[in-house]
Amino acid sequence: MRTIKSTEITEALKNLAIEKCYKIGDDILRGFDWALKNEKSETGREIIEQLKENAKIASQGIFPYCQDTGMAVLFVEVGQDLKIEGNLEEALQEGVRRAYVDGYLRKSVYKDPLRRVNTNDNTPAIIHYSIVEGDKLKIVFGAKGGGSENMSKLAMLKPSDGIEGVKKFVIDTVSTGGANACPPLVIGVGIGGNFEKCALLAKKAALRSFEVRNEDPFYAQLEEELKEKINNLGIGPNGLGGTVTVFGVNIEVFPCHLVALPVAVNINCHAARHGEIVL
Ligand code: SF4
């Protein structure tokens, strides 16, 4: 059995979180170049140029890419043959704490949703664990901005609503809230599972690179179709009109009950900070 120290996990996560909040992903940078070629609105192209410039400045490590450095979301896969010296949960929360304090990232987490007092270190992170084969530890990190999160939705559709109902829900959700979520967007869609699983699928999808298609050709085709339909809505960069509203639509699916058709849409903005490490 392999052993890993909790201090190693803390340090690696801290570095990942800081890097992702300052240096936007290469997929998003390629998305900007794609948008410049495909955006028909001059204002839209100007906005994309400004976003590129912003990314360049932020990558120098003085200012984060966006002032809202989000709430940290982690998907953690723990190999069943891995032994962790120390407490995994504490190691992960400490990694997030140090990233947001030492990295001068905005602390956006309230201790209580109604009494609203800041925890001052951006913890707790929201952590989803799964046990997998092997002796590795994989951590997927996302810094999820509040503006795009607020535009996300979930619906328990009827099975008879079918694929057309799913498409309509996704498109309607982006149509009503997309302009407020800092487009161009990455749309995470969860289909199936139950109420809570569906939301998790959407989150997982939103933290995936928009350049990666679903492995099932049926859903890969649906991703492409939704991308095209949403880009035809005319929302455009920063919601000021145009032909590039989304970089991509990512779908994750799970089996569901025969009377159910849950669908969730988790919207991610152009900041779409995500990254992963394997220890
Ligand atoms: S939605 Fe994204 S880009 Fe807009 S303010 Fe929030 S984190 Fe920043």
Side-chain angles (χ1 to χ4, degrees):
M1 183 167 268
R2 196 174 149 251
T3 302
I4 186 170
K5 290 195 171 97
S6 58
T7 48
E8 201 182 317
I9 298 167
T10 297
E11 188 64 15
L13 176 57
K14 173 193 142 183
N15 293 337
L16 176 72
I18 292 176
E19 184 196 325
K20 293 301 160 192
C21 286
Y22 282 86
K23 194 170 174 297
I24 211 72
D26 289 342
D27 56 342
I28 299 292
L29 294 176
R30 287 190 286 273
F32 289 152
D33 290 335
W34 170 82
L36 283 175
K37 283 192 203 115
N38 290 279
E39 179 52 65
K40 296 209 165 47
S41 144
E42 197 183 323
T43 306
R45 286 196 304 277
E46 271 173 30
I47 290 166
I48 300 291
E49 288 288 9
Q50 286 172 11
L51 296 179
K52 273 187 80 170
E53 180 66 12
N54 183 47
K56 200 168 142 196
I57 295 167
S59 69
Q60 292 161 10
I62 298 170
F63 302 106
Y65 178 80
C66 178
Q67 42 75 35
D68 181 358
T69 46
M71 194 164 186
V73 179
L74 308 177
F75 283 91
V76 179
E77 291 180 9
V78 187
Q80 61 188 4
D81 299 320
L82 180 69
K83 181 172 181 297
I84 294 160
E85 269 182 18
N87 184 303
L88 176 59
E89 172 79 19
E90 280 174 16
L92 295 167
Q93 296 291 358
E94 186 61 18
V96 170
R97 182 176 293 113
R98 288 198 199 163
Y100 280 76
V101 173
D102 299 354
Y104 305 104
L105 306 174
R106 197 181 84 183
K107 289 84 184 165
S108 308
V109 175
Y110 281 165
K111 260 178 221 173
D112 179 285
L114 293 181
R115 287 169 289 183
R116 306 189 82 78
V117 176
N118 202 306
T119 63
N120 288 326
D121 60 11
N122 223 53
T123 66
I126 296 176
I127 308 179
H128 308 290
Y129 295 96
S130 51
I131 307 293
V132 298
E133 284 186 2
D135 60 3
K136 300 274 192 294
L137 180 75
K138 179 176 166 186
I139 305 170
V140 174
F141 165 82
K144 192 66 182 64
S148 56
E149 193 74 357
N150 281 349
M151 298 299 118
S152 304
K153 279 187 184 165
L154 186 145
M156 302 303 286
L157 299 183
K158 298 189 292 295
S160 58
D161 291 326
I163 189 169
E164 292 309 319
V166 169
K167 287 184 206 171
K168 183 174 182 318
F169 180 72
V170 175
I171 292 165
D172 286 353
T173 301
V174 181
S175 179
T176 51
N180 296 327
C182 300
L185 310 166
V186 177
I187 309 294
V189 179
I191 307 172
N194 60 1
F195 186 79
E196 81 274 10
K197 178 72 180 177
C198 191
L200 266 181
L201 292 170
K203 176 69 70 196
K204 206 170 174 188
L207 296 186
R208 195 173 94 205
S209 169
F210 69 88
E211 293 177 329
V212 179
R213 296 277 57 76
N214 190 294
E215 284 176 8
D216 182 335
F218 174 81
Y219 287 106
Q221 197 274 328
L222 185 56
E223 289 173 337
E224 293 295 353
E225 182 185 338
L226 285 168
K227 176 183 171 182
E228 192 184 330
K229 288 196 161 132
I230 293 170
N231 279 334
N232 285 337
L233 292 172
I235 296 170
N238 268 2
L240 295 177
T243 43
V244 176
T245 301
V246 293
F247 289 133
V249 177
N250 296 342
I251 297 175
E252 294 282 333
V253 298
F254 196 81
C256 68
H257 194 285
L258 58 85
V259 302
L261 180 52
V263 55
V265 178
N266 191 214
I267 299 184
N268 212 348
C269 56
H270 60 73
R273 293 144 301 193
H274 65 97
E276 63 180 59
I277 41 171
V278 179
L279 299 171

